[in-house]
Structure formats: C-alpha cells, structure tokens
Amino acid sequence: MDYVVRNMHSRETDLCDCGDLPVEPKTRIVYEGRYGIDLGVVLGTVQEGTRKKYKDCFKAVRVAQERDLESYREQDLQARDAARTCAERVESHKLDMHVVSAHYTLDKSKLLFFFVSDHRVDFRMLVRDLVGIFQVRVELRQIGVRDETRIIGGMGICGRRLCCNGISDKLPPVSIRMAKDQNYSLNSMKVSGPCGRLLCCLSYEHQFYQEERRKYPREGALVELDEAVLKVQEINILNGQVRLSGTEGQHLTVPVCSLHRQSVPQGKKKDRRRSVEWVLNPEGCPEAAQALSADEMDGQIEIDGV
C-alpha cells in the first residue's frame, strides 16, 4: 500500500510503497528516498487526488528500530559539525552562498549540504575539499529561502509552528492580492514570514475569503435605508459586519445578514458608480433591528456599532 512519508530532515514529503509493513500514521520507517536510505515518518495513506502530485514512488525498507533512531540522532550531531566546517570552507573559497544544514543518509554513504544563494555558484573546488575532509560522497543542493525556513523551522506570528515545517512541504504560490482580499495590513512585517516571503496561510485561507466576499457589498457601494443613502466604508468578514457612512458624518455598523442586493430592472443598464446596489433591511436580522431601533432621529442615523 502507498503512503505519504515525510523526510525527517528536509521535511519534504514522498510517496512510498510500504508493501505489507505494519505501518500507521506517525510510524517511523526506513525507506529509499530521493537522497538515498533515509528516515521518515508516515503521515497516512495517499488519496487519489494527491497521488498525481508525486512523480516518483519510493520503496520502504523496514519499520524503524531503536538502533535506526539512535543512528539518526548521532548522525544529526555529526552533520551539524559538518555544516560548520562547510561554512568555514565556503568563507575561505570566498563563495557567495550560505550553508543552511547538512545531512547524512542513514547508511552514511552520502553527505548532503543544503545552501541558499542569489546566484549560481561554482562549488567544484569546495566539493573536492569536503570529500577530502569527510571521506564520503558529497552533494551540494541549492534551495530557496522558503525551503530554508522549512528545514530550520520556527514559530509564526500566530504563535504556532510554521506551516511549511509542521504541516506541509508543498509551498503554494502566494500573491499580494490574497492579502488585500483578506483585509491584511500591507505592512511587509505583518504579511511576511521568517523567510521574508508572503505568509503561506494567505494561500490556505484565500478560497474561504473569496466565497465569503460574495455575500458582502464591495467597498464604496451605495446602500439604501429608508430615505437615506449610505456608503460602504469597510467590511469585516471575520466579524460578519459592514461599516457604513453617510454624507453628513453618520456612521453605522450592521451585520451582513441585514443587507440585501437590490435587483436591477430588465433592460436597465447598471451604473456601479451611482446606482444604489444594496438595501438595508433589518427584518430577519435581530442584531440589525436592535441597532436601528436604538437611536434613529428623523432618518438621520447616529449609531456607531451594533
């Protein structure tokens, strides 16, 4: 049976044929991965819709034993020393690259170094030095800054483990449009993760905001209330509220359930700049009815907040 397995070091996920091995989620296994014999943790059986995302299917060797886990821990400590040595050699060769981490395959037949750089790097002399030092096959792999954060890990501004490190290695494309749709402050410090790129969670939540926004008027739309015409200043999808304002400084915050789209007669062309597109009707929305009855004087709305 095929399972999705996460590599213990790189945090990348692989498709793995576990055969008849007694595995379940969180089982650690030894498998022939993309880098060689490695240690991984089973996430679960692969779904048909997910299977097509994986180009290769690797083979599980065995369920990890205590000796495998002990070897992994020892090799991890040795790899950290190797990363420091590599960084020193990079500096001596004056190469424009930053060493992120090092990793031994479980059978210790290969030593991998992951690095980031803004340019292509000629590291042939560096590889010769490293082979001479460690007496093992050496590979250098250039990764992006988002991959660097995925390997190192950390805590996000939400106070939880970074999504790329703890949930998924599939780094989705993220655009500034997603931040705008979710009413995020466009301050780069607030919409960026430790990697300096836009937050991955903007992509995860974007579909929800797209679906919810269909229930709301656009900012700047006109809303009719009795004889008054108000303008939409702000929408708050998480609170389910819309903030309106009048020409004479009136302000009103109402739940979205009190707003209804006004139908346009057939044959009449709709002018988005001038026409009243929405009607405020508190019937069927107790919160709005309570707010509107609190203080309403001759059609002049003086309410701020529900």
Side-chain angles (χ1 to χ4, degrees), residues 50-65:
T50 307
R51 184 186 298 272
K52 60 184 179 181
K53 298 180 181 180
Y54 297 94
K55 296 181 179 179
D56 302 307
C57 183
F58 300 101
K59 185 73 175 178
V61 178
R62 62 180 179 274
V63 174
Q65 306 298 318

Side-chain angles (χ1 to χ4, degrees), residues 225 252 254 280-282 287-296 301 303:
L225 173 60
L252 176 65
V254 297
L280 179 59
N281 183 1
E287 294 180 31
Q290 182 180 0
L292 291 172
S293 61
D295 187 4
E296 186 174 1
I301 302 169
I303 308 165

Side-chain angles (χ1 to χ4, degrees), residues 24 29 57 64 106 116 144 175 185 191 214 221 246 269-270 296 306:
E24 58 185 20
I29 65 169
C57 183
L106 197 61
V116 293
S175 68
S185 167
V191 296
R214 297 191 184 102
K269 188 175 181 180
K270 181 176 170 182
E296 186 174 1
V306 178

Side-chain angles (χ1 to χ4, degrees), residues 33-301:
R34 66 185 74 185
Y35 305 123
I37 302 296
D38 240 328
L39 194 65
V41 58
V42 174
L43 301 183
T45 56
V46 64
Q47 303 297 318
E48 289 305 318
T50 307
R51 184 186 298 272
K52 60 184 179 181
K53 298 180 181 180
Y54 297 94
K55 296 181 179 179
D56 302 307
C57 183
F58 300 101
K59 185 73 175 178
V61 178
R62 62 180 179 274
V63 174
Q65 306 298 318
E66 183 58 36
R67 66 178 183 274
D68 297 315
L69 301 178
E70 184 62 30
S71 295
Y72 177 81
R73 287 188 286 265
E74 291 177 359
Q75 292 170 11
D76 186 55
L77 294 175
Q78 295 170 4
R80 295 185 185 188
D81 291 336
R84 286 190 286 269
T85 301
C86 181
E88 293 172 358
R89 302 309 301 166
V90 166
E91 186 175 354
S92 67
H93 283 280
K94 297 181 180 180
L95 297 176
D96 183 16
M97 56 189 289
H98 168 64
V99 179
V100 175
S101 68
H103 173 58
Y104 278 103
T105 54
L106 197 61
D107 58 1
K108 219 170 180 180
S109 63
K110 186 189 303 182
L111 176 58
L112 298 105
F113 293 96
F114 298 90
F115 72 94
V116 293
S117 177
D118 294 332
H119 314 282
R120 295 191 64 179
V121 181
D122 183 359
F123 46 70
R124 288 174 293 182
M125 295 301 296
L126 174 63
V127 171
R128 292 177 187 175
D129 280 359
L130 296 175
V131 170
I133 294 172
F134 299 107
Q135 296 297 308
V136 69
R137 180 181 172 187
V138 171
E139 287 187 13
L140 272 74
R141 293 182 174 265
Q142 185 171 357
I143 60 177
V145 290
R146 296 180 77 188
D147 301 289
E148 176 185 6
T149 303
R150 179 183 60 194
I151 293 175
I152 296 174
M155 185 177 293
I157 58 174
C158 59
R160 304 185 66 178
R161 188 175 180 179
L162 293 174
C163 293
C164 58
N165 177 265
I167 298 176
S168 173
D169 74 302
K170 303 301 180 186
L171 303 176
V174 187
S175 68
I176 196 66
R177 180 74 229 176
M178 296 178 180
K180 292 179 180 179
D181 288 346
Q182 298 175 38
N183 285 339
Y184 255 82
S185 167
L186 298 185
N187 183 317
S188 60
M189 295 295 291
K190 294 186 177 181
V191 296
S192 301
C195 61
R197 300 295 190 266
L198 291 171
L199 294 167
C200 292
C201 56
L202 292 174
S203 175
Y204 301 150
E205 300 170 2
H206 188 231
Q207 184 178 355
F208 164 78
Y209 278 90
Q210 280 187 315
E211 294 174 354
E212 286 297 306
R213 283 188 75 92
R214 297 191 184 102
K215 305 175 185 177
Y216 290 75
R218 61 181 177 84
E219 293 180 354
L222 301 180
V223 179
E224 182 181 288
L225 173 60
D226 296 331
E227 300 298 324
V229 176
L230 307 174
K231 187 176 182 180
V232 176
Q233 292 293 332
E234 182 183 357
I235 65 173
N236 191 322
I237 292 178
L238 294 181
N239 291 337
Q241 295 179 335
V242 178
R243 183 171 174 78
L244 310 171
S245 66
T247 56
E248 299 181 4
Q250 311 100 316
H251 295 285
L252 176 65
T253 302
V254 297
V256 66
C257 62
S258 64
L259 297 174
H260 304 279
R261 190 183 297 272
Q262 185 168 255
S263 59
V264 179
Q266 289 185 350
K268 184 177 180 180
K269 188 175 181 180
K270 181 176 170 182
D271 187 348
R272 291 174 64 92
R273 295 172 298 176
R274 299 180 181 179
S275 64
V276 177
E277 303 173 46
W278 296 77
V279 176
L280 179 59
N281 183 1
E283 293 183 6
C285 188
E287 294 180 31
Q290 182 180 0
L292 291 172
S293 61
D295 187 4
E296 186 174 1
M297 300 172 58
D298 300 328
Q300 299 300 312
I301 302 169

